[in-house]
Amino acid sequence: MVSKRFTAGPFRLRQARPEDADAIAALHVKVWRETYRDLATPEAYAALTEDVRRERWRETLATPGARHQTLVAE
């Protein structure tokens, strides 16, 4: 768990909140598609959508666990 905000340079890190799910999902899909464009099967590429990732991120951020944490850089 992040106990305080980390500030270095022009950005800061903070614990992700459920309301960050939309932005995280959009970034996740964009990066994944750019990275795996030529490696993933067409089916896998088509299956990863913002809607799918958004739901997963909402679940993840709504139930933080002791074994993981998600940080957001602002």
Side-chain angles (χ1 to χ4, degrees), residues 3-39:
S3 60
K4 63 180 182 175
R5 293 182 187 264
F6 171 79
T7 304
F11 68 92
R12 63 185 179 149
L13 296 177
R14 65 167 173 79
Q15 187 72 38
R17 300 181 294 259
E19 57 267 24
D20 295 316
D22 292 349
I24 294 172
L27 178 63
H28 184 158
V29 170
K30 181 178 179 173
V31 169
W32 191 92
R33 286 189 168 171
E34 288 180 16
T35 302
Y36 295 103
R37 179 182 315 123
D38 298 325
L39 300 172

Side-chain angles (χ1 to χ4, degrees), residues 21-67:
D22 292 349
I24 294 172
L27 178 63
H28 184 158
V29 170
K30 181 178 179 173
V31 169
W32 191 92
R33 286 189 168 171
E34 288 180 16
T35 302
Y36 295 103
R37 179 182 315 123
D38 298 325
L39 300 172
T41 64
E43 296 80 16
Y45 189 88
L48 188 72
T49 65
E50 279 189 45
D51 289 338
V52 169
R53 294 312 311 165
R54 185 180 301 110
E55 284 307 310
R56 291 295 204 103
W57 278 110
R58 283 182 180 158
E59 290 173 16
T60 297
L61 297 175
T63 56
R67 297 185 61 191

